[in-house]
Amino acid sequence: MPLFLRFYLERERAILGTITVVFFLCFWEGLTRGWWADLLGPVLGSAAARWRISPIFLSSPTAIARTAIRLFSAGEIWNDLRVSGLEFLLGFVLAIAVGIPAGLAAGWYRRFCFAIEPFLSALNATPRVALLPLIIIWVGIGIWSKVLIVFLGAVVPLCLNALAGVRTTDAKLLRVARSFKAAEGRLFLTIILPSAVPFILTGLRLGVGRAMVGVVVGELYAATAGVGFMITVAGASFQTDKVFVGVVIIALAGVLMIEALARLERRFETWRPKVGAAT
Amino acid sequence: MRTEGQTLYAADVTGVSSLGKFYVEHERGLIGTGAVLTFLLAWEAVTRSRLVDPLFLSSPTLIVRAGYELFAEGTIWRDLRVSGTEFVVGYLMAAGVAIPLGLALGWYRRLYFCLGPFIDVLNAVPRVALLPVIIIWFGIGVWSKIVVVFLGAVIPMLINTFSGVKTTEERFLKVARSFGASELKIFWTIVFPGTVPFIFTGLKYAAGRALLGVVVGELYAATAGIGFLITVSGATFQTDKVFVGILIVTTTGVLVVELLDRLERRFEGWRPKVGSAT
């Protein structure tokens, strides 16, 4: 096999991926710069003008990059980043502090689970962002309304997954521990909690996604600062490049966090009880 | 999420009075109903006693009355129709694109290599962040919401269909190939049936995403719809109407997920048991 073919086959995934992404970006850039209109002009005549799209409407990769550099070097974006980050962090930490213990307790105490189950199911079925208008009435348009919406978004998957983690503990292990007269507290700490860890991590990963939706939607809806606020203000004033800078920041934050949690999850994957193969 | 853990708590129902037996047998329903009733009564009491302004918190009876009025006057039907159209059109478009594309992505490796980066990025972005751009592109009418619903729903459908194809039992493929089955036949008789349960899981996740899209899209910019009703009522401090809107959204979510749950259970028998493969 020729050398370059082997090189290609070994890295096919990365190469094909890069090519399509580059192609996509060039196509986009060409739309706003009018490359395609100029190219197709001789063939299509006046219809080629449709291939030239106003930068206000679509922006372009280079315009977005330029705006990003301007925003970061001028420093006006740092405040938005700080506010959004703070909202995310406070809401998520609160959700962890409430959701995971509540889920573990609901898995352990059957009656507690019966009591909170209807509320959890109802909350789970409602897109929590529908509560935004109420939350704004209750806590105003400052950061606390966003902290609350992030909390509500993340707490449900955290709680449900912690609950599922306790519930799927291997019954054999519990029976053995009970036969050897392990105290209930000991049982919980040495058997239930470790086997719930993979589920809790899944909950964290899902919760991060929900929390991001919460921050963004909360700030789109009503805010005075934050990346979502920047996006909505930029959109309303047709600064499409600035909107995309915001979207890219959010995408990067999402990819980084979810990737980190997915790694952590794989690390603990071996702990997960294999439900299917239990004999 | 509600997996069986019932074996952990085998309640002993022998040797108790009939009242006690009734309680133990229906414990789950009784405690759940009790908790919900307590919550509603406490809520009603808090507003009735003027501890908190009803403008601020509303109350269960006020919400019921507002709901009754909205339906009796008939103003709500238009909102329901608009939201329903957005949901159904966006969702069906997503299914129409995602299921064939997901199957193709799973079947043709190179296609996946090409489109994978875009799917990963879209999956990581909360699609609602694109709302301001979508509004610029499609205006504040029905179409911007349809696009948001589509974007929200298409990703989970796509990813699930794709992983359905990818988890096809290797042995089946080997057997079929040994007997010289054509690729087309393998696809339709082995790969596709094995993917169906995954498609349903994707459809179920997507329903939640689509609902989120409708609500957020309408909260953000709209001229009609349930989300629009919620945001207008919120801005004018008609808290009871806000709750009516939220209840409608919740009910829709529960119904759609329940419906898809049933469909999923219907096809559950087809799902390859990954854990117990020997």
Side-chain angles (χ1 to χ4, degrees):
Chain A
M1 205 187 308
L3 202 63
F4 71 88
L5 192 62
R6 205 162 81 205
F7 178 84
Y8 168 77
L9 283 178
E10 271 167 9
R11 294 168 184 76
E12 190 172 30
R13 181 176 185 165
I15 291 171
L16 283 178
T18 316
I19 288 174
T20 27
V21 170
V22 170
F23 181 78
F24 171 76
L25 292 177
C26 283
F27 179 71
W28 184 2
E29 186 74 37
L31 277 178
T32 42
R33 297 214 172 209
W35 294 347
W36 316 126
D38 295 342
L39 209 67
L40 294 169
V43 191
L44 294 176
S46 59
R50 295 192 54 176
W51 290 86
R52 188 194 300 274
I53 293 173
S54 162
I56 288 181
F57 205 64
L58 198 60
S59 192
S60 75
T62 51
I64 294 168
R66 213 177 309 126
T67 310
I69 293 169
R70 183 169 55 81
L71 284 175
F72 276 96
S73 58
E76 55 177 303
I77 205 170
W78 295 110
N79 184 43
D80 290 327
L81 284 175
R82 209 183 50 243
V83 169
S84 291
L86 192 67
E87 289 163 357
F88 181 88
L89 217 64
L90 280 175
F92 199 61
V93 168
L94 258 173
I96 290 174
V98 173
I100 293 178
L104 292 175
W108 191 237
Y109 301 107
R110 189 167 42 112
R111 296 207 168 88
F112 179 60
C113 177
F114 292 160
I116 67 165
E117 209 176 20
F119 300 102
L120 265 182
S121 308
L123 257 188
N124 193 29
T126 319
R128 266 81 74 198
V129 288
L131 299 170
L132 256 177
L134 277 178
I135 290 173
I136 301 288
I137 295 179
W138 291 339
V139 290
I141 64 165
I143 76 161
W144 288 104
S145 54
K146 263 67 73 183
V147 171
L148 196 57
I149 203 79
V150 169
F151 168 80
L152 282 175
V155 79
V156 174
L158 284 169
C159 189
L160 285 175
N161 276 284
L163 175 68
V166 176
R167 283 286 181 81
T168 47
T169 307
D170 196 341
K172 276 186 300 178
L173 298 179
L174 291 177
R175 248 180 271 139
V176 171
R178 288 218 171 95
S179 311
F180 284 96
K181 287 199 156 179
E184 290 291 289
R186 179 110 190 247
L187 211 67
F188 186 80
L189 285 178
T190 57
I191 297 178
I192 308 259
L193 204 56
S195 67
V197 164
F199 289 86
I200 291 175
L201 289 173
T202 307
L204 282 176
R205 185 167 50 85
L206 295 176
V208 163
R210 296 300 156 84
M212 298 266 301
V213 172
V215 169
V216 173
V217 175
E219 290 181 355
L220 284 184
Y221 189 68
T224 52
V227 177
F229 180 69
M230 183 192 98
I231 292 180
T232 189
V233 170
S237 51
F238 288 96
Q239 297 171 279
T240 324
D241 43 359
K242 217 169 156 185
V243 176
F244 276 110
V245 172
V247 173
V248 170
I249 291 175
I250 292 165
L252 277 179
V255 170
L256 285 179
M257 276 188 289
I258 288 177
E259 183 57 28
L261 281 166
R263 290 221 171 147
L264 205 64
E265 221 180 321
R266 277 198 292 276
R267 162 84 183 68
F268 284 98
E269 188 65 24
T270 42
W271 282 13
R272 194 187 289 267
K274 300 285 181 299
V275 180
T279 40
Chain B
M1 256 349 115
R2 265 174 276 151
T3 43
E4 49 279 293
Q6 257 53 23
T7 47
L8 281 178
Y9 320 100
D12 181 19
V13 287
T14 50
V16 279
S17 66
S18 64
L19 190 70
K21 202 156 113 190
F22 177 82
Y23 171 77
V24 170
E25 272 169 5
H26 300 88
E27 191 172 31
R28 184 177 182 170
L30 285 172
I31 292 183
T33 319
V36 172
L37 281 180
T38 315
F39 173 74
L40 291 177
L41 280 175
W43 185 359
E44 186 73 40
V46 164
T47 31
R48 289 251 162 156
S49 63
R50 298 276 155 177
L51 217 60
V52 179
D53 196 324
L55 208 65
F56 213 61
L57 200 60
S58 193
S59 79
T61 50
L62 284 175
I63 294 167
V64 170
R65 202 177 308 143
Y68 177 76
E69 276 167 13
L70 277 174
F71 277 96
E73 287 168 11
T75 48
I76 204 169
W77 295 113
R78 189 172 117 83
D79 290 326
L80 281 174
R81 208 182 50 239
V82 169
S83 292
T85 313
E86 290 161 359
F87 181 86
V88 171
V89 175
Y91 190 75
L92 289 182
M93 271 170 56
V97 170
I99 294 172
L101 188 61
L103 289 172
L105 284 172
W107 193 240
Y108 300 108
R109 193 168 43 108
R110 294 208 169 87
L111 186 66
Y112 173 68
F113 290 161
C114 287
L115 296 183
F118 298 100
I119 297 169
D120 289 343
V121 167
L122 266 183
N123 190 28
V125 198
R127 266 82 70 199
V128 287
L130 297 169
L131 253 177
V133 198
I134 292 171
I135 300 286
I136 294 180
W137 292 340
F138 297 93
I140 63 165
V142 175
W143 282 101
S144 54
K145 261 67 75 184
I146 291 179
V147 172
V148 171
V149 169
F150 171 82
L151 283 176
V154 80
I155 296 293
M157 291 180 189
L158 199 58
I159 290 177
N160 274 285
T161 311
F162 168 75
S163 51
V165 177
K166 281 285 165 197
T167 50
T168 307
E169 186 92 46
E170 197 80 30
R171 287 176 306 166
F172 294 168
L173 293 179
K174 264 188 225 147
V175 170
R177 290 219 169 96
S178 310
F179 284 97
S182 69
E183 290 293 294
L184 204 67
K185 183 139 193 202
I186 290 178
F187 183 81
W188 284 115
T189 55
I190 298 176
V191 176
F192 184 66
T195 310
V196 168
F198 288 87
I199 293 178
F200 274 107
T201 309
L203 287 175
K204 208 171 63 176
Y205 279 122
R209 298 279 116 159
L211 206 60
L212 180 80
V214 170
V215 172
V216 175
E218 289 181 355
L219 284 184
Y220 188 66
T223 53
I226 296 298
F228 183 68
L229 170 84
I230 293 178
T231 187
V232 168
S233 312
T236 50
F237 288 96
Q238 297 171 283
T239 328
D240 42 1
K241 271 193 187 173
V242 176
F243 274 109
V244 174
I246 293 171
L247 275 178
I248 292 174
V249 173
T250 306
T251 318
T252 316
V254 171
L255 285 180
V256 173
V257 169
E258 180 63 35
L259 187 78
L260 288 164
D261 250 346
R262 292 218 172 152
L263 276 172
E264 199 189 351
R265 271 201 296 276
R266 162 83 184 67
F267 288 101
E268 186 66 24
W270 283 7
R271 190 191 291 269
K273 300 284 183 300
V274 180
S276 61
T278 40

